[in-house]
Every structure is written in structure tokens, then in C-alpha cells.
Amino acid sequence: MYTARNYVFADSPEHAWELNQKKTNTILSGGCWLRLGRRRYDTLIDLSKLGLNQIEQTDTYLELGAMVTLRQLETSPLLAQYFGSYFSDCTRHIVGVQFRNCATLGGSVAARFGFSDIVTALLPLNCQVHLVKAGWLPFTQYAAMPYDRDVLTHIRIPLQKHIQVVYQSTRNTQTDLPTLTCAASCCDGRISLALGARSSRPSLLHGNTQSDLLQEAEHLTYVENMRGSSAYRRHLAKILIQRVCTCLEGGQHPCS
Amino acid sequence: MQLTLTLNGVRCTDEVQADTTLFTYLREKGCLSVKCGCETSNCGLCTVWLDEKPVLSCSVPALRADGKKVTTLEGLQDEAAEFGAYLADEGAEQCGYCSPGFIMNVLAMSRELTHPTEQEIQEYLAGNLCRCSGYQGQLRAIRKFLAAKGGCV
Amino acid sequence: MKRNYVSTGVRKKDAMSLVTGKPVYTGDLVPANALRVKLLRSPHARAYIRSIDTSKAKLVPGVVCVLTWEDAPNSRFTTAGQTWPEPSPYDRLILDRQLRCCGDPVAIVAAETEQAATQALRMIQVDYEVQTPLLDFTKAKDNPIVVHPEENFRALCDVGTDANRNLVSYDSFTVGNLDEEFSKCDVVLERTYNTLANSQAMMEPFCTYSYYDEYGRLTVVSSTQVPFHARRILSNALEIPKGNIRIIKPRIGGGFGAKQSVVSEIFPALVTKLTGRAAYLCYTRQESMTNGSPRHQMQMQVKIGATRDGMIRAIDLYALSNAGAYGDHGPTTIGLVGHKSLSLYGSLKASRFTCEVVYTNTMGGGAYRGYGATQGIFAVESAVNEIAAELGIDPTVIREKNMVKEGQIMPAYYGETCNSCTLDACMAAAKEHMNWDEKYPRRVLPNGHIRSVGVAIAMQGSGISAVDTASVEIRLNDGGFYTLLVGCTDMGTGCDTILAQMAADCLDCDIDDISVRGVDTDQSPYDTGSYASSTTYVTGGAVMKTCAELREKILAEGARILGVDPAQAEFDGQKVFVPGTDKSITRAELGWASYEGHSKLLTACQSHSSPVSPPPFMVGMAEIDLDPETGHVEVVDYVAEVDCGTVINTNLARVQTEGGIVQGIGMALFENVQYNEAGKLLNDSFLQYKIPTRLEAGTIRVNFHPSYEPTGPFGAKSIGELVINTPSPAIADAIRNATGLSFRNLPIRAEDIALAIERQKHD
């Protein structure tokens, strides 16, 4: 469990950014992962009074605030309307409803854990993220960036016509961390496919066919940890790529 | 730091530290139904409602509840007894240590889901660990409870 | 005897207080001024403390004491809650200078607040001489690293202990002529099986507080299964007379054997002894995982022989058990590996069991539901399934041919006669309920998944024969209600209620007329505690005797008041009366009368112990859904057919069964204890040690086939431990029936299955 001396509700994203420049301060997202550490913080910066818990729609994209909870992602009718069960599939295995009512989109994305279902799911969607200082960035760029002290406020998911999406993961138990995550989108025959839970960050692959992707996936790193060996993950990658591609070929819109 | 919230219908203002969790605060306020079974946000024993939504009180800083409504089993005694009677009639409360958090989540589920399927029930409650019961008796109790309330499975 | 309550699903007497979240557990009752106790734990698996500097820690505001090995008594003891003289060696100190596993306690801090205690922990400076740990238990015997070199190490019982060889215990027994019988077999298999340590993972961690009461006696309130043993153990460890110690057990948040060891009690008790202050320690989940009392890791070698017609003639079983750093429950768990697996087969003409228990520098083991039987049954049942496959015989059929039957003598079970057994009926019912003949061995679903079934049988005991002792006192009070005082420990299992059911039927009264109270060692009658599946059987026996005595006393007193000879009077539970007359006195009136002058309290207290430990039996069948690509196994259906003798509480016995099976599913598939190279446990949280959630539990269907155990109360045997024993072998069998591959190491991970199937494809 962490310790902290001060607790500040940021009055604006800029305020949060300023506070977050001090290395001993930290943004408080859902609090679920933060508590696993034993760090001593000076100030916890709470974004929960900035109205960042909304999912909004424009003509061309959905905009999600950083404080949207994983449970909101799972149950949002808007997300379901455009992406079917995709956002439910990438969240419903995460611990439990109570956990998902705490954990946030921003927390998951900013942490960029290698095993993140959320990061894996966002990678193939051509998203943008908004940071207080850096402004709007492609999500793929952000996902690969080193950690800095900027503050994430929003994520935009473009509403692409004829996009098909599918999310699958494998886990030793149904609510455990994944042994492999796999998310794919298909737009005009071009497949973008993210594979996570295999190294420090999920990776995004592109290809026109299943065999393209299988070939690309062979060059990725597959680490060994308590949940699985490198060989098992490599094997799972093959299986999940085949499965999501079969699903995409099935041509449902959206696919799930 | 000052914290003002509504706890089980009563407005409270207290001094808490920045790193005091909602769990610790609630125990100090005498809500002893709230239990802690892990340090990793996995067990669901500490489930309470924050603005009517079930959360893990061990993971929420107390100050985040500022201005909000917090409900524990102490504030839902009639409903706890109503559902709890079904659990008791199965013998499925067993040691009872997970019961408060479990019941908080069952009651949240019964408000949130109408006519849930068995799979929906199991998924909604997956974050509530129980080592005694094997979960079967809990499910029997829920089925009977929902059927009696007209939200049958 | 009329059965108004026995064999019904009476609601637990404490149920409504539990489901409404009343403050009834140890941590809810802590006095406001109690010191918070925290332990500094060893980061090394084996190390010697050169020096400890506590001076800075003691300066932290709010810190009351920082204790090191120099402050702790030097009397070795065991934390194992067993009847004296304990078979477990006296190999522990509260704080030792030699550290034997990661997490061994180095210092105890007590402070006014938890924050102060935590801060002080960080200020303690320890100079460790880090030593090479002994981590591989298969290399422990006669290893140059000696885990317990201390001079004051003691073994009270002759269990083959030799600390210099890292041997906690050694044992062996042989029935018949093994070589001769193997020579008559057409098929002989030799297989090795491995099981890991498992954590009981009860929801309430180890939790204790202590204080000096108004008489200056040390009172310890604790979540324990063994209050009376705890009193003796604390007396040994703290070097204070037993008469100065009182143990109180409130409601317990689960035990499963974990709390049959005195894990957390010694630390706050030492603080209270030295400071005079109330002190409270609740283990974190991490501490409960790393330094609790888990199941012993074991390796078992089975040699099994059968003739072509499927008659199993001989089994030779060798078991090696990893006690870890301390020998608690080591010498006794290992015995069950053999006694409770080999005795399942009445057909055996010869059998042998040899076992060794060794010290290493991994976490110390303890008692976990099943207590060795679980490991032994996994090995033997798996071997039986393998030989059935080898012979091309249906695994249910080979069991029908070989399994123990009522009336048989069980040579590997202390020569006891099997007086009650419906295993045959259990097997017939299991096959029918599972639709075995249709489902065995497997079918492939349209999605490529494989549905298959597997089977195992199991037994356990009912108490420890001639050792476990239970006493019960029942008093008749004014107005006619009874007080039932028990020393056994309801840990959620419902024994307070079960015993009240028996008493209500023995006394012909309403169950609400019986108030139950347990346990306070100053006030409860002696009971060894709730472990070894003893409570229903042994303490239940004491209830029967006590009720019989009380009925006689009530009758005699009633007759005295009515002025008649007791032989003329009768007691029907409500009144003492003389048949055919209007002479009658109600139980309520007798209660009042006993509180008046010239009368005597109507109370009875009887003890019970059993020379035998009749085994309950069961058949478990698992149906699994196996994804051959990912290796994932889901237990979709589990059929459990149980003979626990007369079922005392139909609901509670069912829930015991369901709970035990789900724990067994966790053991079979997920609960994977891993250490790093330095001997640090990696699965030290619910994040890393995955117990089944409700999504892993599948559907469990339980049916009872009661035999009548002549030595048991109302014909009852035990239920609590038996039910964890079938899932591992039954699921392993189902996996083999699905894949054609045998998995002999638990847990059987998805990865093991998927990669083995891949290898098989390439071979």
C-alpha cells in the first residue's frame, strides 16, 4: 500500500499537470493498481471532479474521458452500438464488477501495462489520446512512448465505416490476468491486430491475410512469467490469430 | 484533511489522512461488516456502494468519497436480512466472512440487472471470492430470492 | 429415537448475525487501546542474524516495544494443534536467531497505531549472514545443509526423527507378500506423482488479540480451531503456566486446517506478556500465504499390479513429504497418504507404504483439509485409472471389482472393520447421474472442444481413533431452556447447530430451547478441537452420552419432586410424569425448581472418544470441457455421491461437499505454488495464487447414500475433509480420457495440456 501526505482534487487538467510535474506526486486513477506499490507520495492528484467520466459522440468519433471506468466501457450502449461486444469482451474478465467500477480507462491506458486488455483493445482502432501538454497524439505512438509526466485526459475512437472488430484473450482462470490478449480490426480488407500479455507493451501488427499476421507474430517477443512460458505464449498467439481471423472472415458487423 | 459524505443516510464530516482508504475509514466509523481479505483488490470482501455502485473500499481513497453517498451493510439491514434468509436457508453463508461484501454485490446486482441469466449472475459476482461454499448454495439462494422478487432467472 | 431435527436442513443458529454483518469475528472485537503488532520478516530463505539494531525503531513516536530473539523465550515448541505429546517435533522459537524460510519472524514491533508499527519496521537494521538455502525436497535427506542444527531440538514421540539428516519422520508398514503378489499380476505400472503446497485461503486471515484480564491472567482471543491446544502451546512457548492462560474463540472466518496451527497467537501474546498491554495482530493475506500452514508438498511413487481381469492385487506406495522449515503436522499428515488410499481397495492381497518427511528451507507445512489423504488418493486413484486404461477396462468397472465393501477388514487401516459403507451404491448412482456409460470416455463438440469424464473414489476418517476426546456439558435452566457448552470450534461449518440438532432430538425438545456456547477454555468442557473430521462424530458422541445422563437426572429429580420412584416415572422431553396418573411436572418447572433451595442444578457432562475412526466414502465424477488448442479445462459438471453415514444437517453437509469439491478443483487446475531461485514464494496474494471464482466452479450435484455407522451419533460419520479428495484424480482422469495423455503433476495447467498435445502431434 502506498502512503501520501496530501490529496488534491484538481480544478482543471492544467492544474493536474502542474501538480504532476513533481516526481513525488502522482495522478490517482482508479487506485486499484497504485495500492499494489509501496511508494511514498507527497500528493495524490484526483481527477474525479473534472467531468472526465463521460462517453460522448460526435459525427466522426466517440470521445471518452480518462476517468471513465472499465465498467462504463463494458456497459456503454454507445460503445455497444458501434463495436458490439468488443468493449465488453475486453473488460468483463478483469477481476470483478466492483474492481471495474473503480479502475479507469485513463489509469489502464497511462500505465500501459504489457498485459493490459484495454491497451490491446484500443491499439487496432486508430485512436487518438489527448494529453494536457502534448495535445492529441495517435494512440499507437502513445502506447510505445516512454512514461513521462504529462496527464492523459481523453481518448477518441474514430467511427470508421465497415470496420469489423474482435477481441479475445486467454487466461488461466477467467478473472486472472491474461496469458495472451488479441484484438483485431478489419477495414476494407486490411487487418490490424494487437497482441498483448507477451512483453512489456502490447504490439500492433498489420496484414491482409491470416498468414501475413502469423508470420509477423513469429518475430515478436514472448516472455516467460508466472502465468506461462514463452513457448506457450507463442503457441497461444498462433491460436488466437487464427481464431480472430476466422471470426473476421465470418463477416459479422461488428464481429464478436 | 476534511471529508464530508453521507454514510448510510447520515451526513458525516471527519478528518482523514490523504492515504486513508475508504475501508479503513468505514471500519473506524463502526461499519464493522466491511471486511478485508486481501491487499490486491481481488477478494470482494470490502465491497460497499459509492453513489449506489459497488466498489472495493480497500482501493478507494476515503477522500474520493467526498460529497458522495456511501452505503454499507449496516445501512441495508432489512434487505440484508431478506436476502440473507435465503442464504441461511441453504446453509451457504458458512463462515460468513465474505457474506457482507457478497450481499452488497447481490443487492447491487438486483438493482442493476433485470431478469439476469445465470451466466450474468455468475459474471456479476465473479469478484466475490468464497472459499467455504463452492458458490452453489449462493446461486440457489439468489435464484430463490430473485424469483420471490419477480426478477426470476 | 425420534428425529425431528437430525437429517433436516436446520438453519445455522448464528446465520442471521453473519448475513447481516454483525461484528462477531476476532478483528471486530479488539479493545480500543490494543497495541498494533507487526512482524519484521526474513527476506532470506536461510540466514543467521549477526546483529539487530532496534534503537531507531524504538524512537518512532508511538512505538511501545521492538522485540528480537534476545527478548523471546528459548523453549522450543510446535505450533501444531495436536494432543500432547505431539508427534510434531519441538523445533520452533517465537523469534529465532537462525532463520529457516523466507518470512520467518525476525522482530516484533508493537505500537499505538498501525502506521507507527509499519514505520518502525522500516527502521530496524539487521545484519544477516545469508546462507545457501535447501530448497529441493527430493535432495533434503542427508544434505550437507542441516535445517535444524540446534541443540534444544526435541521430538516427543518416536516418529523416526533425525534432525541431523533433515528427517522429520519416517514410517513404513507392509501387509501381505508384495513380491509374490506382483509376480501374479499381468500388468504392473510404476508411476510418480507430484503435488504442491496449497494455501487454505480462508477468507479471514490469521487473527489474534490478547490482554491481561482482571485476574491478571493472559487472555487470548483468536481465530483458532484448537483453543485448548493453543492454551498448552502458548504455555510452552511463553514459559507461563497453563493456568494463567485463557483462550476465547469467537466466530471464525474459515479454517480448513490452517487454524489447527497456532500461527498468529504467539506474537501478540508475547507482547502482552512483556508490556502488560492489550495487543492485536491480524496477518496480511501475504503473511497468511507465505507463513501460514499450507498443505505439504509431496512426491509419491506408486507401483500397482493387476491381473488381466482387472483384479488389483498389490500396491506399493512411497511418499516423500516436504515439511519445509518446520515439522508442524509433518509426521501425521504423511500417515494418511497411505492409510486412506490403500484402504479403498478391499481386493488388495498385499500392500506397502513407506514414507519420509524432510526439512527444507521452504515455508513450513501444516494441516489442510484432507491432511495427506488428498495427496495419497490423487496418486493411488490416478494409478488405478492408468492401470484401468492399460487393461482396457472402464475405470468405474475396475473400481466395482476392487473397492472396499461393508464388512471387510481393512488391513491398511489399522485393521479396522468397515462397518458402514455404501460405496457400491455411490458408484451406481454416480454412473447414472453422470450418464457415464454414454459419456465415457469422450466426445468432440462442433467447436472442437472435447467433452470427457473422469472418476475417483475417496475416503477419510472420523476423528483420530483413541486420541481425540470431546466433552460436552448441558444444563437445564430456569424456565426449561438448555445450555449446551461445547469445546469444539465452529469455524463456519455449523457444528454448533449440528450438535444442537442432536441434543434437541436426544432431549425431545425444540431446537430453539437449546442455546449453544463455545469456546472459552475457562468455561467450555475440554475438546481436542475441530480437526481430523472429528466434530460431528466424536463431539456428537459426547452429546449423545451427555443427553442420556441428563435425561436420567431430570427423571430422577422429577420423580423426587413428584414423590415417586424414578422407575415409575417417564420423561417425554416436556415433562416428567407418572403414566396413568395426573402426576406431572414440566421441564420448565423443573428448571425453576433446580434454582431454588434444597435442590440441585440439573447438569450433565460426558466425554467421548472412539477406538475407531470409521471412514466416510464417496465417488466423484467430473465432466470437463477441454479446449485442445489452448489447453483450457473447464469443469462443467461434477457429480458427488457421498456416504457420510447418517446426514445430520442436509444443507450443511451438501455445502461442505460443494465447497470441498471447488477447493479440489483449484488444487487440480490452478493453485500453483512457485518459488524463485532464492526460495521466495511468488504466489503470495490472491492476485498470484488463483483460487476458483464462481466462474471456475461449474455445476456440482451432490447426493447422499447414508450407511449407518454403528459407532456414530445417530449413525453419522464425518464429511468435512473427505470431499476435497476426488477432484484431482477425477479431473486428471477426464483430461487423460480427452487427450490420451497422463498428467501426474498438480496443478495440471492449461499450458501443460496444450504443449503436450502439440508435442504429441509432432511425434
Side-chain angles (χ1 to χ4, degrees), chain A residues 4 7 29 35 71 98 101, chain B residues 1 19 39 47 54 64 112:
Chain A
Y7 193 101
S29 307
R35 72 185 299 267
R71 181 70 178 158
Q98 309 97 307
N101 273 329
Chain B
M1 301 177 73
D19 51 12
E39 299 92 56
T47 302
R64 180 159 276 180
E112 192 176 328

Side-chain angles (χ1 to χ4, degrees), chain A residues 117-131:
Chain A
D117 290 280
I118 307 303
V119 173
T120 308
L122 291 174
L123 270 173
L125 298 187
N126 205 14
C127 301
Q128 303 270 311
V129 298
H130 184 261
L131 304 167

Side-chain angles (χ1 to χ4, degrees), chain B residues 17 27 35 37 39 42 77 89-90 93-97 103 122 125 128 131-132 135-136 138 140, chain C residues 11-12 20 22 25 27-28 115 199-200 285-286 368 651 656 658-659 663 671 692 694 698 700:
Chain B
Q17 291 172 351
R27 294 275 307 179
K35 297 292 191 277
E39 299 92 56
N42 286 99
Q77 285 289 289
D89 282 340
E90 298 296 333
E93 77 287 357
Q94 286 286 295
C95 83
Y97 207 71
I103 293 173
Q122 300 287 51
L125 300 170
N128 291 91
R131 192 62 155 170
C132 292
Y135 306 110
Q136 314 285 317
Q138 292 185 349
R140 289 193 290 273
Chain C
R11 193 188 269 189
K12 265 170 49 177
T20 53
K22 295 293 185 287
Y25 303 92
D28 302 335
Q115 286 100 319
S199 180
Q200 295 89 349
R285 178 58 57 188
Q286 185 182 33
Y368 180 4
N651 279 349
Q656 280 294 305
E658 293 163 344
Q663 287 186 6
E671 296 178 26
R694 66 195 69 232
I700 297 166

Side-chain angles (χ1 to χ4, degrees), chain B residues 17 19 27 32-33 35-40 42-43 45 73-74 77 80-82 84-100 102-103 118-119 121-123 125-126 128-140 142, chain C residues 9 11-12 14-16 18-23 25 27-28 115 199-205 252-254 256 284-286 368-369 491-493 651-652 654-656 658-660 662-663 671 685-687 689-695 697-700:
Chain B
Q17 291 172 351
D19 51 12
R27 294 275 307 179
L32 298 177
S33 73
K35 297 292 191 277
C36 173
C38 73
E39 299 92 56
T40 51
N42 286 99
C43 72
L45 263 59
L73 209 62
E74 280 79 1
Q77 285 289 289
E82 185 192 1
Y86 287 94
L87 199 60
D89 282 340
E90 298 296 333
E93 77 287 357
Q94 286 286 295
C95 83
Y97 207 71
C98 74
S99 294
F102 167 68
I103 293 173
E118 194 160 305
Q119 182 66 19
I121 292 171
Q122 300 287 51
E123 287 197 10
L125 300 170
N128 291 91
L129 297 180
C130 169
R131 192 62 155 170
C132 292
S133 75
Y135 306 110
Q136 314 285 317
Q138 292 185 349
L139 185 61
R140 289 193 290 273
I142 292 166
Chain C
R11 193 188 269 189
K12 265 170 49 177
D14 54 355
M16 293 313 289
L18 301 187
V19 298
T20 53
K22 295 293 185 287
Y25 303 92
D28 302 335
Q115 286 100 319
S199 180
Q200 295 89 349
M202 61 286 166
M203 288 296 123
E204 180 200 31
I252 304 180
F256 316 115
T284 60
R285 178 58 57 188
Q286 185 182 33
Y368 180 4
R369 193 180 211 170
M491 57 194 117
T493 47
N651 279 349
L652 298 178
R654 176 175 309 279
V655 175
Q656 280 294 305
E658 293 163 344
V662 172
Q663 287 186 6
E671 296 178 26
S685 66
F686 283 154
L687 178 62
Y689 185 85
K690 300 315 285 187
I691 65 170
T693 71
R694 66 195 69 232
L695 297 172
T699 299
I700 297 166

Side-chain angles (χ1 to χ4, degrees), chain C residues 143-158:
Chain C
N143 195 288
I145 298 169
V146 176
V147 177
H148 282 277
E150 64 274 8
E151 278 176 8
N152 58 352
F153 176 101
R154 263 192 322 142
L156 274 59
C157 300
D158 180 14

